[in-house]
Amino acid sequence: MRAFGTTIFAEMSALAAQTGSINLGQGFPDTDGPAGMLDRAVQAIGSGANQYPPGPGVPELRRAVAEHRADHYRLDYDPAREVLVTVGATEAIAASVLALCEPGDEVIAFEPYYDSYAASIALAQARLVPVTLRPVEGRFTFDPDELRAAVTPRTRAVLVNSPHNPTGTVFTREELEVVAELCRERDLIAITDEVYEHLTFDGVAHVPMATLPGMRERTVMISSAGKTFSVTGWKTGWVCAPAPLVTAVQTVKQFLTFTAGAPWQLAVAHGLRHELEWVSALRSGLQDKRDRLMEGLAAAGFEVLRPAGTYFVQTDIRPLGFTDGLELTRRLPELAGVVAIPTQVFYDRPERGRHYVRFAFCKKDEVIDEAAARLKRLSA
Ligand SMILES: *Cc1c(COP(=O)(O)O)cnc(C)c1O
């Protein structure tokens, strides 16, 4: 694991703290989740939910997850056998890859990709095969032929993240169908990272891979309360999949962490049952914040790529006269008092993303406005 070093988020957040810069790097909200859900966690702690919960998760949460899948997506999962609670989506991804991939197996992932994918695949001694997303008419997407060409006899799984961090793309049904067709034809498993499932904009709907024909039986669907309810510090996620796949993932999960924290699980069960209106308000608030930050970045001279979901907006830095996002983000605190993330760190082939920088907009309006005002210094 030596090659992985420390993550860019640690480096950039430390830089923000040292220089007093506004941190639009790491994607965590600067406001709290729904009060009723926070109260439920406090109540759970005060009323004895403080010992190891069952390995697969608190039954109340597993039932709430199954009901939510059924209401929202018309997907039926048996809460007793087909839902597994994890320590965030991060553990769900790691346990899924470790459980389902043998050494030497190949896992296809779209680059730029969330940084834990490469680490999880390395831990499994499997091989990550990247397929690059590129902007087409201002939106990152993949070339179906490139995806097809990436499949080999060793391919075991495709890791699909939609809504996609860091590009903000929400894959269309047609795009997902290209992936699904390959999975069916070549007998691949889809591991789907859907942590931003509720955070889509402009009326764009998230389509879960498992709702496509023939896909429920071969999809490991991963969600998290962190992004849905603005509680990234709770690290509570879950896997929904057919029982044999869940059993495999749980076999690994039990030796990573055994179980996830009890009070959060009870509170998230409450959230899924009673706080979905709060989530709708979060979504529309985030859409406004996206527009606010996009406007500020455009005024500062960036080329801005409009995201349809997530917390993030991608910018092309070349109009400002820069070519290397890593160099720019390391200098950005001194140039403008703002911290962002160089998108190239999310690529297998960093040169393909060298000129992009990612900014997070899950921040208070006044923070976004102040960052926008400071970034104007770049073109001054
Ligand atoms: C935040 C994030 C995760 C991690 O979720 P946790 O529940 O905090 O572990 C996974 N995937 C993507 C794409 C994310 O942005």
Side-chain angles (χ1 to χ4, degrees):
M1 295 303 286
R2 202 167 274 141
F4 288 89
T6 49
T7 77
I8 191 73
F9 303 108
E11 178 187 339
M12 290 299 166
S13 289
L15 191 60
Q18 270 164 33
T19 59
S21 295
I22 295 180
N23 191 353
L24 301 186
Q26 204 169 0
F28 58 86
D30 58 1
T31 48
D32 260 333
M37 193 180 84
L38 306 184
D39 287 347
R40 183 70 186 91
V42 172
Q43 188 207 332
I45 291 169
S47 59
N50 300 304
Q51 308 307 328
Y52 293 129
V58 170
E60 205 168 317
L61 176 55
R62 282 184 281 145
R63 280 198 298 272
V65 165
E67 283 165 19
H68 177 265
R69 303 288 97 168
D71 288 350
H72 236 72
Y73 303 126
R74 297 187 187 185
L75 283 168
D76 280 315
Y77 288 102
D78 174 357
R81 300 161 58 242
E82 298 185 312
V83 179
L84 171 69
V85 179
T86 57
V87 182
T90 308
E91 189 195 31
I93 294 159
S96 299
V97 170
L98 285 164
L100 302 172
C101 299
E102 302 298 328
D105 279 356
E106 295 174 0
V107 179
I108 294 174
F110 294 103
E111 72 174 347
Y113 50 73
Y114 187 64
D115 62 345
S116 85
Y117 299 174
S120 294
I121 292 166
L123 286 169
Q125 292 179 266
R127 201 166 80 78
L128 189 154
V129 176
V131 172
T132 307
L133 301 175
R134 295 187 183 82
V136 176
E137 288 161 15
R139 174 182 176 276
F140 283 82
T141 186
F142 60 91
D143 174 351
D145 290 333
E146 224 176 295
L147 175 64
R148 285 184 201 109
V151 180
T152 77
R154 287 312 306 258
T155 308
R156 174 71 172 145
V158 187
L159 237 166
V160 183
N161 171 216
S162 181
H164 184 264
N165 172 12
T167 66
T169 288
V170 180
F171 285 132
T172 62
R173 187 175 295 276
E174 291 68 36
E175 286 167 331
L176 292 170
E177 182 49 41
V178 172
V179 180
E181 192 185 333
L182 270 179
C183 290
R184 291 186 303 252
E185 275 175 24
R186 308 292 293 262
D187 194 21
L188 311 179
I189 293 170
I191 300 172
T192 63
D193 177 345
E194 306 183 29
V195 301
Y196 297 101
E197 62 194 307
H198 298 295
L199 307 183
T200 61
F201 313 127
D202 310 320
V204 171
H206 167 63
V207 179
M209 181 70 89
T211 61
L212 271 61
M215 289 307 290
R216 185 199 178 280
E217 66 223 56
R218 56 178 68 252
T219 298
V220 177
M221 181 185 199
I222 295 169
S223 296
S224 171
K227 308 289 163 55
T228 297
F229 297 110
S230 297
V231 288
T232 60
W234 284 16
K235 297 298 296 186
T236 304
W238 53 90
V239 169
C240 295
L245 294 176
V246 164
T247 302
V249 176
Q250 195 191 334
T251 304
V252 172
K253 185 260 181 315
Q254 68 187 332
F255 296 117
L256 295 179
T257 56
F258 176 56
T259 189
W264 323 123
Q265 293 191 50
L266 291 165
V268 171
H270 166 93
L272 287 172
R273 289 192 166 133
H274 303 292
E275 304 290 359
L276 296 179
E277 268 174 44
W278 183 95
V279 176
S280 298
L282 171 68
R283 175 217 300 255
S284 60
L286 275 171
Q287 180 171 319
D288 294 343
K289 290 177 189 300
R290 174 201 64 176
D291 294 344
R292 204 174 187 101
L293 181 61
M294 280 177 60
E295 205 174 298
L297 291 168
F302 291 92
E303 184 189 329
V304 185
L305 293 130
R306 181 188 204 81
T310 76
Y311 286 166
F312 308 107
V313 56
Q314 283 296 332
T315 58
D316 187 329
I317 62 176
R318 288 173 296 188
L320 282 162
F322 296 97
T323 52
D324 183 351
L326 186 56
E327 191 197 318
L328 175 60
T329 51
R330 285 194 169 134
R331 289 181 58 204
L332 207 52
E334 148 221 336
L335 293 173
V338 173
V339 159
I341 297 291
T343 310
Q344 62 190 269
V345 302
F346 302 114
Y347 288 76
D348 242 45
R349 295 156 293 197
E351 65 282 1
R352 298 191 179 192
R354 186 150 285 148
H355 51 284
Y356 300 121
V357 167
R358 188 193 85 170
F359 291 87
F361 52 80
C362 48
K363 306 293 173 184
K364 291 182 181 129
D365 288 349
E366 56 269 31
V367 174
I368 293 173
D369 290 347
E370 174 61 22
R374 292 185 183 189
L375 286 165
K376 280 214 173 111
R377 289 182 212 156
L378 285 176
S379 46

